[in-house]
Amino acid sequence: MSNKHYKRIVLKLSGEAMAGDDKIGINPITVKKIAEEIKEAYETGVQISVIVGGGNIWRGKAASELGMERASADYMGMLATVMNALALQNALESCGVQTRAMTSISMQAVAEPYIRRRAVRHLEKGRIVIFGGGTGNPYFSTDTTAALRAAEVNADAILMAKNGVDGIYDSDPNLNPNAKKFDKLTFLDVVQKDLKVMDSTAATLCMENDIELILFNMNQEGNIKRAIEGQKIGTTVKGR
Ligand code: UDP
């Protein structure tokens, strides 16, 4: 029997998740483990789309701070997310899950172009849709992409899987042993308290479109499924 709490979700994975202990690049063994977890969650019957970041390969802002033109550096970041999307697609398909990779920057030899109605159709047919290429625009992030796509495909929630962080804290728990973890927050809290959860563009988009966010630790096995089942893990951000 399925225990699903949501009908349709967007899973946001940071690029870092793809690197495993290597910290940079793509580790196929790590990617396979992520794919197995996604498959386990998918078997509850929920419709899943995935946004992958690119920070394991390239960060536009960091490169621009070293003198590169920001827009070009950001386009490179978007291309990095496509590499991650293809790696994840490959791993999911090798687990026997049907997928479609869609990119916001057209590269039809490797993935379908992003067309909202087609993406929704894929989800209805039970395919996992992987969105590569971010929003397709420089100066944005893959967190904003997650919020945008969640609004577009009418997802109930964004599941934000973090590496080594089990929720949202009032300060960095790695630096402050007394950091306080929140169970629930509003998007206004996130923006006003300047909590380092997602950028403010992404938070505002979620707030205005009534999208719920669950932030949880990716390093604990089975957490994607737990979040889908509505179990109390991590921090939930909702409303204003
Ligand atoms: N990026 C962009 N527009 C987008 C999404 C991403 O320009 O809509 C670029 C940006 O340079 C960013 C890089 O892609 O640094 C990787 O994405 P992000 O930093 O969000 O990945 P994550 O931190 O989740 O690994």
Side-chain angles (χ1 to χ4, degrees), residues 48 91 96 103 142 162 168 195 210 233 237:
I48 301 181
T103 56
T142 50
K162 289 279 177 190
I168 304 171
L195 300 170
D210 233 353
I233 56 163
V237 190

Side-chain angles (χ1 to χ4, degrees), residues 12-17 51-62 70-71 73-81 84 104 133-145 162 199:
K12 164 72 210 303
L13 298 172
S14 63
E16 211 188 334
I51 312 280
V52 258
N56 54 322
I57 300 171
W58 188 261
R59 279 187 201 283
K61 193 160 177 281
R70 174 74 190 261
D74 275 345
Y75 277 113
M76 290 172 70
M78 288 182 255
L79 296 179
T81 72
N84 285 334
S104 48
T135 61
N137 299 293
Y139 298 98
F140 287 95
S141 67
T142 50
D143 287 352
T144 300
T145 314
K162 289 279 177 190
D199 47 85

Side-chain angles (χ1 to χ4, degrees), residues 6 158-162 164-169 180-185 197 212-218 220 222-224 226-228 230-237:
Y6 302 109
I158 298 173
L159 269 52
M160 187 171 274
K162 289 279 177 190
V165 190
D166 64 350
I168 304 171
Y169 287 77
K180 181 177 159 273
K181 184 182 156 197
F182 300 105
D183 290 332
K184 277 186 191 162
L185 284 170
V197 184
E212 195 174 310
L213 175 85
I214 302 110
L215 186 142
F216 60 93
N217 191 356
M218 180 68 193
Q220 197 171 335
N223 261 356
I224 301 176
R226 282 187 202 103
I228 281 173
Q231 292 188 33
K232 297 272 163 286
I233 56 163
T235 303
T236 302
V237 190

Side-chain angles (χ1 to χ4, degrees), residues 99-115:
T99 67
R100 292 291 184 274
M102 300 186 116
T103 56
S104 48
I105 297 171
S106 273
M107 42 182 99
Q108 297 192 29
V110 294
E112 290 182 14
Y114 171 67
I115 298 168

